[in-house]
Amino acid sequence: MTPTRLLALALALLPLAGCGSLPFNDEPAAQNPTHTTILDEVAAAAAISAYRVQHGLSPVVVDSGLVKAAAFQAGNNARHGQLSHDVGGTFTSRMSAAGLARSYAAENLSAGSETFDQVFARWKNSPEHNKNMLIPQIRRIGIARVDAPGTRYKRFWALVMAGA
C-alpha cells in the first residue's frame, strides 16, 4: 500500500478511533447523576451477625473505613450504570489502598434492590455472595447504597467485609 493510501485510510478511520462499547444501559460512562442513601449500618451489621451466628460464626461490627470503601464502589457502579468489581480499580488494589492488603477481605455487589432486606436475601441466595458473608475470619463490614435514578437498576449496593 502506498503512503498516500495509508494516510487516506488513517484519516478515514480517525472518526472511529473514539468508538467503544457503552455500558449495557447505553449511557455514557461515569455520567449518571447519583446520590448516596443513608443506611442504618448498625442494623445491617446486626442482621449479618445474626446470620453468621446461625452458622456458628462470629458476629461483625461496622467499620467506618469499610463503609467508605463500600460507598466508593457503589458510587463507581452507579455513575457508570453497571455492576462491576473492577470499576474504580481492581478489588485487590482498592483493598490495598484501604490498608487491607494483608487481611481477609471480600466484596458483595448488587443492583436493583430497594431495601437492605431485599439485597440481603439476594446475597444469601447467591452461592458466591453467601460464601463471602460466611468467611470465618470476617469481623468487620461496611455497606453502602448509591442511587442513580437514570440507570437501568436505579440502586447500587456494595458490602465490603474484612478480617480483624
Side-chain angles (χ1 to χ4, degrees):
M1 191 175 283
T2 67
T4 305
R5 289 180 65 91
L6 281 175
L7 179 60
L9 180 61
L11 290 174
L13 294 176
L14 188 60
L16 299 176
C19 293
S21 63
L22 291 173
F24 60 81
N25 57 3
D26 295 327
E27 296 166 341
Q31 298 301 313
N32 296 307
T34 64
H35 65 274
T36 302
T37 298
I38 304 300
L39 297 177
D40 186 346
E41 292 108 355
V42 173
I48 293 168
S49 291
Y51 183 63
R52 287 175 55 83
V53 168
Q54 287 174 353
H55 289 86
L57 301 170
S58 63
V60 295
V61 297
V62 175
D63 179 288
S64 62
L66 296 180
V67 171
K68 288 178 187 174
F72 176 80
Q73 195 59 11
N76 279 318
N77 279 274
R79 282 186 295 283
H80 284 81
Q82 64 183 5
L83 197 57
S84 169
H85 289 281
D86 294 326
V87 172
T90 66
F91 177 69
T92 303
S93 68
R94 290 184 287 106
M95 292 304 97
S96 182
L100 297 170
R102 295 189 168 105
S103 176
Y104 284 93
E107 176 178 75
N108 286 356
L109 301 178
S110 188
S113 296
E114 190 168 330
T115 67
F116 169 75
D117 290 337
Q118 290 172 346
V119 77
F120 188 40
R122 280 185 173 185
W123 286 331
K124 288 192 291 188
N125 289 321
S126 163
E128 288 301 312
H129 293 107
N130 189 58
K131 181 179 163 184
N132 285 345
M133 292 190 299
L134 297 177
I135 294 172
Q137 295 82 0
I138 296 299
R139 300 287 183 272
R140 303 174 290 138
I141 68 154
I143 188 166
R145 184 181 116 190
V146 176
D147 295 349
T151 64
R152 178 180 178 187
Y153 292 109
K154 304 194 183 338
R155 292 165 294 276
F156 295 82
W157 294 82
L159 170 65
V160 178
M161 301 157 277

